[in-house]
Amino acid sequence: MPAHYVGVVHSAHVERGKAAGFVAFSHGREAVVRSLNPGDRVIFYAPKTDFDGDPVQEFVGHATVTGDAAYLTEYMGGFEAWVRNATFDEVIPVPVRPLIPQLTFIRDKAHWGMAFRQCKFRIGESDYALIAGRLLGRT
C-alpha cells in the first residue's frame, strides 16, 4: 500500500522537479528522499513562489514516486541535491485556507501554518483523498 505525504517546497522547485521528473525536499537532503518507496504519492504545498518570493499558500503538485533509489543530481542554482524519480500529474492549484477545517493533520486550526514547518510529512488516507481530489479535478 503506498504511503501519502505532503512535501513543503516553493512552487518554483515543484516546477523544476516536474520538468526533470523527480522529487526533492529540504534543499536536497538525502535522508528525506531515501525514506520514500516506489508508488508513494506526494502532494506538494508551496508557502511561497521561491525563497524570497511572493506568498502562494496552495497545494501545487501531485507526484507518484517511480525511482527505486535516490541519486545526486544538479539542481536549481547549480547546487547538487538528492532526488528520487517520479511522475507528476497535471493539477489545479488548491488554496489551503478553505480546507483547514477539514484537514486532520492540522491540529491547531488557529495556527495552521505550524503543520507545514516540516519538509515532508505523512498524511492519512482521508486528508490525501480530499486534497488530491481537488488537485486532480475530481471533486
Side-chain angles (χ1 to χ4, degrees):
M1 182 102 172
H4 304 102
Y5 294 94
V6 170
V8 181
V9 299
H10 302 305
S11 59
H13 293 249
V14 175
E15 290 304 313
R16 168 69 173 113
K18 183 177 178 182
F22 60 65
V23 295
F25 310 90
S26 191
H27 307 288
R29 284 188 19 221
E30 181 180 7
V32 183
V33 291
R34 281 205 188 276
S35 66
L36 296 169
N37 293 303
D40 286 350
R41 295 185 184 111
V42 181
I43 290 172
F44 287 97
Y45 171 76
K48 298 191 301 184
T49 56
D50 212 333
F51 186 74
D52 292 321
D54 296 323
V56 174
Q57 297 182 342
E58 292 181 330
F59 296 102
V60 297
H62 183 272
T64 302
V65 176
T66 58
D68 289 326
Y71 62 93
L72 197 58
T73 189
E74 187 175 323
Y75 197 58
M76 296 176 75
F79 75 92
E80 290 187 321
W82 286 91
V83 301
R84 193 79 170 258
N85 286 345
T87 58
F88 282 76
D89 295 299
E90 291 302 318
V91 300
I92 302 162
V94 176
V96 68
R97 289 181 187 267
L99 299 183
I100 291 170
Q102 299 168 60
L103 294 171
T104 63
F105 68 84
I106 299 177
R107 290 187 174 87
D108 183 349
K109 308 300 185 187
H111 301 99
W112 62 269
M114 295 304 291
F116 298 99
R117 291 287 191 177
Q118 307 168 67
C119 64
K120 180 188 77 147
F121 56 93
R122 195 167 181 163
I123 60 173
E125 181 64 37
S126 64
D127 287 335
Y128 171 78
L130 174 65
I131 302 165
R134 302 234 176 138
L135 274 170
L136 301 173
R138 296 179 184 154
T139 59

